[in-house]
Amino acid sequence: VTNEPIIDDYDTLGQSYVISSENVMLQAIRSLSLASDPDFVGRQDSQGLSSRVRGLLRNVAEALGYPKETAEDQPTDPEKIALGSVARNLTVNREDVASVMTISFSSSDPAKAAAIVNAIVDTYVNDTIASKMKSTNVAGKVVQERVEELKQQAKDAERAVLEYKMANNLVGTGTTSLS
């Protein structure tokens, strides 16, 4: 692990997609148990303001001739529902400084918004470090294998030189020089 920045300047746009990816968001959702939070999966009585607004919008859309939304169109897995809610309220932007990104979350509860952003950032940083460590370990193994190959080649070369000297009577006592 080096002290260099985790995000390379040329790759911040790609990293914004990674930060807002389903994988990173799901890990944050799991770490904060958002799949059981009524603010993210809806209330059991379906009388929350957001569910009433969605119902109103569905009714208006149907009145305008849009096809009726079926139950199959609605996710039923609480994690997927929470994922949709988090994705709608999450914003990831690249700033004017190449290696700076802004991650924000809209919520009526500022503490919850901060916890979600922190969980997403922690997940992203941990995943990035783990990925770089895995790459470093793989590279280290490849280098170690190559070192072993080269050691064996050096031993074989030394043995071949010794055999050549013996075969041609070039082996001396060490005090005499071969000329």
Side-chain angles (χ1 to χ4, degrees), residues 125-147:
V125 168
N126 292 336
D127 286 356
T128 302
I129 290 171
S131 175
K132 288 189 179 214
M133 288 185 70
K134 183 178 178 183
S135 296
T136 301
N137 289 338
V138 168
K141 287 178 184 177
V142 169
V143 168
Q144 188 60 39
E145 289 171 2
R146 184 66 179 141
V147 166

Side-chain angles (χ1 to χ4, degrees), residues 45-59:
D45 61 8
S46 294
Q47 295 303 313
L49 177 61
S50 63
S51 65
R52 289 186 294 198
V53 169
R54 276 193 300 272
L56 176 65
L57 291 174
R58 259 193 305 269
N59 292 340

